[in-house]
Amino acid sequence: MPISSNIRILRKKADLTQIDVAKALGVSIATFRRWEAGETAPTGTRIVELAKILQVEPESLVSENKPVSQAVPNSNALVFEKGELRIKLPATEKGYELFNRLVERITG
């Protein structure tokens, strides 16, 4: 699924409104609505923040092949999957930095 669909599905599963999430992220409601509509996409840093708010792993937002229902909160690793590609990074500052760069390149 595209990131916009994943955001919408996970937001609804968390029982949050678009306004709730936009306020928590410190972005305008218009910005958040464009993310859910697929007109734009959040950056890697925002993906990590959004995942925390939705209580899922960041890869649950960006994965096109993994069903979002398989999200694993509070994991000690960041995992990116796309097709047969799987990259696992430690949930450290450096891991988040690398994860953000990867996501930004793909969603860029």
Side-chain angles (χ1 to χ4, degrees):
M1 280 186 224
I3 190 170
S4 58
S5 296
N6 290 344
I7 292 171
R8 183 174 45 258
I9 290 166
L10 291 168
R11 176 184 57 79
K12 288 181 179 184
K13 279 186 177 183
D15 198 28
L16 296 170
T17 66
Q18 290 179 331
I19 294 170
D20 293 334
V21 178
K23 283 183 180 179
L25 286 170
V27 299
S28 71
I29 185 64
T31 295
F32 186 77
R33 286 183 176 153
R34 283 193 294 271
W35 293 349
E36 276 200 3
E39 296 170 12
T40 62
T43 64
T45 303
R46 290 291 189 199
I47 289 171
V48 172
E49 293 170 359
L50 181 56
K52 286 180 185 177
I53 292 165
L54 299 176
Q55 298 182 348
V56 298
E57 290 298 318
E59 70 270 8
S60 297
L61 295 171
V62 299
S63 177
E64 293 181 11
N65 298 318
K66 182 179 179 183
V68 292
S69 61
Q70 292 181 9
V72 180
N74 302 321
S75 173
N76 61 355
L78 303 169
V79 180
F80 179 83
E81 294 180 357
K82 185 167 184 175
E84 294 182 17
L85 174 66
R86 179 179 166 92
I87 300 171
K88 186 173 180 179
L89 299 168
T92 62
E93 188 174 324
K94 185 66 173 175
Y96 276 102
E97 180 184 327
L98 294 171
F99 186 83
N100 288 336
R101 282 195 228 157
L102 175 67
V103 171
E104 286 174 3
R105 282 192 120 182
I106 292 170
T107 61

